[in-house]
Amino acid sequence: MNLDFNKNDDFMRLEISDLKRKKAVILKGGGKDKIKKQHEKGKLTARERIDFLKDPGAIFFEIGLFAGYEMYSDYGGCPAGGVIAGITYIKNRMCIIVANDATVKAGAWMPITAKKNLRLQEIAMENRLPIIYLVDSAGVFLPMQDEIFADKDHFGRVFRNNAKMSSMGILQIAAIMGSCVAGGAYLPIMSDEAIIVNKTGSIFLAGSYLVKAAIGEEIDNESLGGASTHCEISGVTDYKAKNDEDALKIIKNIIDKTAENSKAGFNRKESKEPKVDIKNIYGILPKERNVPYDMKEIIKCLVDNSDFEEYKKEYGQSIICAYARIDGWSVGIVANQRKSIKTKKGEIQLGGVIYSDSANKSARFIANCNQKKIPLVFLQDVTGFMVGSRSEHGGIIKDGAKMVNTMSNSIVPKFTIIIGNSYGAGNYAMCGKAYDPRLIVSWPTAKIAVMGGEQAAKVLLQIKKSTLKKQGKKITKEEEEKLLSDIVKKYDLQTTSYFAASRLWVDAIIDPTETRKVISLGIDAANNSPIKEKYNSGVIQT
C-alpha cells in the first residue's frame, strides 16, 4: 500500500472517530438528571423502550440521529429532534418504531420533530411496514408554534398520514407511556390499536388546569384521562398495561399474530462477502475532495464477491452503470467516476462531472433496471453537469433531463449513498433527497451544496466587484481576500454531512463499512411492498 493510501486511511479513521464522539453525546438525550427523573417515575427511557421491544440482537437502524444537531441553541438544543426512530425487527417482523424522548423538552415537538415523524411515516407507507408509536410527549413546543402548526408538512400532516396508512392496511400501534395532550392525542387514537400504561400514561384534549379555566370544572389529570378512565369508561384505549414493560409485551404479542405482507419478489441469492476488504475504502477515497480516484475500486469493496457486470463500459465513462449483488440482492449501480481516462482525443480528467454521453447511458440503464425490477443504488460523488459552449451546443441540458426523467419515474426502490461531493444538478440526477430514495445516507466525507465553497466564493466575488464597479468603486486586495475567506468558511460549514443530517436531507451518517448492511436492510424493507404500477418514463426529448 502506498503513502497516499495510508494518509487517506488515517483521515477516514479520524472522521469516523469524530462521528462516534458526536453520536455518543446525542445518545445521552437530555442528560443524566433527566434520565434519572424518568426512572424515578417508574418509566423507561425511549432508548430503553426500543431495546426492550426489538428482538434480541436485532439491528436497530436509526433514522435521524443527527436531526436538530446544532440547531435551536436559543432553547438549549434538541438532541435527535426529541424523538428516537428507526427500522428494526419485532417477532421477526420488520417494523418502524417512533419513540418520544421525554428527557428532551418533556418530549415536546420542535419543527424538526415533526419533520422526522413525517419521514418515518413516509418510510412506513413506501415499504408497507408496521409502525409503532411510543408516546410520551408534552405536545407542540409553544415558543415555536408558528413553525410547526399550520403548514402542509407541519404537525397536522402526521394525523393525515395516520388516516392514510389505516386505509392502506398498514398496521399502526400506539402505546401511551406518558403525557399525550391536545392535538397530539389524535396520533395514538388514530392508530389501529392503543395501549395505555396505568398511572403514568394520560391522554386528553385539555388538561385539568385548562378544563378549570375553560369551564370551571375541578378534576385531576388521572380521573380526566388516565388508564382506568379510558379503558373502563370512555373506551378510547384498547389495553391497560401495568407498566412500560407490560405495554411493550402487548405490542410484541400483537405483532406476533399479524399476517405477513405479500412480497415484491426482488431477486436474492446467497450472500457472499466482497473479495476486497471493505475497509480498503478508507484508503481508496482521497482526503482531498478534488483528487481523482477509481470508483470501481470502491464498488469492489461493496458488492458480493467484488464482482459486477458493467453496462456500456467504454461509453460515457464519467458514470459507471453496473449490475451486481449486495448481500445477495440483485442491484443496479449508478456511480460517478472521478479518475482520468485515456481517449483517442487524449487524457480526460472526469472529476465526477456528468457528460452528455454519461447521462444518456444512465437513462437507458435506469430504464432497463425498471424493466427487470432491479433496485437501484446511486453512489454519489458528483460536481455537476459539464458546462461550456461545447456542452451547451451538444445539448447537455436535454441529455441531463433524460436522466432526471427516467430516474424520477422509476418504480423500483432507489437507495442513495453520498460518498463525497454532491453539487448542483448532479445531486438531482443522482437521486438526491427530492427524488424519493427509500433511504438516503452519507459518509462523513459528504459535501452537499449548489456548488463547492471555493467556486461559490469566486462567483459571489465577481458579483460584488461588478456591483462596486457600477457604483464607481473598487474592492481592495485585502477586502477581496477577506470576502473569499468568509464565503468559503460559510459554505464549508453548510456543506458538511452533519449540516445535512441535522435538517434530515439525509437519513443517517454512516461508517462506509456499514454501507452493505444499510442497502440490504433497505431492499429487505422495500420487498414488503409489491410493485403494482407500470414503468413509464414520460416524455423524453430525443
Side-chain angles (χ1 to χ4, degrees):
M1 294 184 185
N2 60 33
L3 183 60
D4 287 337
F5 185 99
N6 291 333
K7 286 181 178 179
N8 294 338
D9 185 271
D10 289 343
F11 174 74
M12 181 63 86
R13 289 178 187 275
L14 287 171
E15 289 287 299
I16 293 165
S17 178
D18 185 48
L19 172 63
K20 289 178 179 177
R21 282 196 299 272
K22 288 180 168 71
K23 281 184 174 181
V25 174
I26 296 171
L27 290 172
K28 294 175 183 176
K32 289 182 180 178
D33 290 343
K34 296 289 179 65
I35 292 171
K36 183 180 177 182
K37 287 181 180 178
Q38 189 89 340
H39 289 159
E40 286 172 351
K41 294 176 183 176
K43 297 162 67 175
L44 301 174
T45 65
R47 293 191 180 279
E48 288 168 343
R49 288 165 178 168
I50 291 170
D51 194 53
F52 186 94
L53 183 56
K54 74 181 184 68
D55 290 344
I59 184 176
F60 176 65
F61 178 60
E62 187 162 353
I63 304 290
L65 173 65
F66 282 93
Y69 179 70
E70 294 189 338
M71 295 169 65
Y72 312 124
S73 56
D74 290 347
Y75 301 106
C78 187
V83 61
I84 316 304
I87 305 171
T88 190
Y89 292 87
I90 302 171
K91 293 293 182 179
N92 294 316
R93 178 74 178 270
M94 185 178 280
C95 299
I96 285 174
I97 303 176
V98 180
N100 298 116
D101 187 351
T103 71
V104 178
K105 304 284 185 298
W109 287 52
M110 309 285 274
I112 198 68
T113 316
K115 188 173 183 179
K116 185 169 174 177
N117 273 266
L118 291 172
R119 174 59 179 146
L120 271 296
Q121 288 184 323
E122 180 181 47
I123 293 171
M125 286 189 280
E126 287 178 334
N127 300 293
R128 302 188 72 85
L129 297 177
I131 184 167
I132 317 300
Y133 306 103
L134 306 181
V135 184
D136 194 347
S137 171
V140 167
F141 186 66
L142 292 178
M144 301 190 76
Q145 67 85 28
D146 60 316
E147 297 181 44
I148 189 175
F149 176 65
D151 209 347
K152 179 179 178 180
D153 287 322
H154 282 178
F155 194 49
R157 189 76 172 180
V158 172
F159 315 134
R160 175 264 188 194
N161 287 350
N162 287 144
K164 287 290 184 181
M165 280 189 279
S166 183
S167 70
M168 293 168 68
I170 297 170
L171 177 63
Q172 299 174 85
I173 305 171
I176 303 155
M177 311 181 85
S179 180
C180 185
V181 299
Y186 286 105
L187 184 147
I189 307 311
M190 291 188 73
S191 298
D192 299 300
E193 300 196 59
I195 302 143
I196 186 167
V197 179
N198 195 29
K199 302 302 181 183
T200 56
S202 60
I203 180 169
F204 33 64
L205 295 181
S208 56
Y209 293 127
L210 185 54
V211 168
K212 170 70 173 175
I215 63 173
E217 181 183 359
E218 292 194 14
I219 188 169
D220 63 89
N221 282 339
E222 183 65 26
S223 300
L224 181 66
S228 294
T229 296
H230 286 310
C231 287
E232 299 171 23
I233 301 172
S234 72
V236 165
T237 51
D238 307 308
Y239 307 89
K240 185 199 288 188
K242 293 176 287 187
N243 51 35
D244 281 9
E245 291 90 344
D246 188 37
L248 299 170
K249 287 177 183 176
I250 293 169
I251 294 171
K252 289 184 181 186
N253 288 335
I254 295 170
I255 293 292
D256 190 42
K257 295 170 181 64
T258 302
E260 285 280 353
N261 289 353
S262 299
K263 300 297 182 182
F266 298 123
N267 187 300
R268 191 179 197 185
K269 291 187 176 179
E270 182 184 354
S271 176
K272 295 181 180 180
E273 289 296 313
K275 286 182 178 177
V276 179
D277 188 347
I278 195 167
K279 287 189 176 180
N280 278 9
I281 289 171
Y282 296 171
I284 295 168
L285 191 71
K287 173 182 175 182
E288 304 297 333
R289 300 308 311 124
N290 59 349
V291 174
Y293 67 95
D294 190 351
M295 179 64 84
K296 292 179 187 178
E297 297 304 312
I298 298 283
I299 294 172
K300 288 176 184 177
C301 297
L302 296 176
V303 301
D304 288 14
N305 213 30
S306 299
D307 184 40
F308 57 93
E309 185 73 30
E310 194 168 349
Y311 175 78
K312 290 185 182 289
K313 182 177 180 180
E314 308 298 333
Y315 178 77
Q317 294 184 59
S318 71
I319 288 184
I320 300 162
C321 295
Y323 297 108
R325 290 189 183 276
I326 293 178
D327 195 25
W329 295 104
S330 172
V331 297
I333 295 172
V334 182
N336 303 111
Q337 178 62 288
R338 293 190 59 91
K339 75 166 190 174
S340 300
I341 61 167
K342 291 181 180 179
T343 69
K344 291 180 180 179
K345 298 177 182 178
E347 189 170 76
I348 298 174
Q349 172 57 52
L350 298 176
V353 176
I354 302 175
Y355 292 82
S356 282
D357 53 359
S358 303
N360 274 315
K361 176 175 83 170
S362 302
R364 180 62 182 268
F365 180 73
I366 291 167
N368 287 350
C369 286
N370 275 272
Q371 183 188 49
K372 299 180 179 75
K373 300 293 190 294
I374 299 174
L376 286 159
V377 174
F378 292 84
L379 302 178
Q380 279 198 20
D381 192 352
V382 58
T383 50
F385 284 87
M386 191 60 191
V387 297
S389 60
R390 184 175 176 181
S391 292
E392 296 292 359
H393 296 170
I396 186 69
I397 296 174
K398 176 185 68 178
D399 294 323
K402 291 178 187 176
M403 183 177 176
V404 172
N405 199 314
T406 52
M407 184 272 299
S408 300
N409 285 299
S410 287
I411 58 173
V412 295
K414 305 182 293 265
F415 303 91
T416 302
I417 316 295
I418 304 177
I419 290 172
N421 301 326
S422 180
Y423 293 155
N427 170 283
Y428 296 167
M430 292 293 294
C431 195
K433 176 71 171 180
Y435 294 85
D436 298 324
R438 295 291 178 96
L439 290 175
I440 177 169
V441 299
S442 74
W443 293 355
T445 45
K447 298 282 184 182
I448 305 170
V450 172
M451 61 182 74
E454 195 174 326
Q455 297 93 321
K458 289 176 181 177
V459 171
L460 292 171
L461 179 62
Q462 290 301 317
I463 294 170
K464 179 74 172 178
K465 289 169 77 172
S466 177
T467 302
L468 289 172
K469 187 177 180 180
K470 289 177 183 177
Q471 296 171 355
K473 302 176 184 177
K474 284 187 178 180
I475 187 169
T476 66
K477 188 166 183 63
E478 290 77 17
E479 289 173 332
E480 184 175 319
E481 289 176 354
K482 185 179 185 307
L483 182 61
L484 277 169
S485 176
D486 289 346
I487 295 168
V488 169
K489 284 180 183 177
K490 181 180 178 181
Y491 259 73
D492 284 346
L493 173 66
Q494 293 181 347
T495 61
T496 67
S497 55
Y498 298 101
F499 190 91
S502 70
R503 288 150 181 82
L504 289 172
W505 299 348
V506 296
D507 294 319
I509 305 171
I510 65 168
D511 181 327
T513 60
E514 297 176 308
T515 304
R516 277 172 55 87
K517 177 179 69 177
V518 170
I519 293 170
S520 178
L521 180 77
I523 300 175
D524 198 10
N527 202 37
N528 286 281
S529 182
I531 297 172
K532 295 180 180 178
E533 63 266 55
K534 185 178 179 182
Y535 176 65
N536 186 338
S537 64
V539 177
I540 300 179
Q541 282 189 314
T542 57

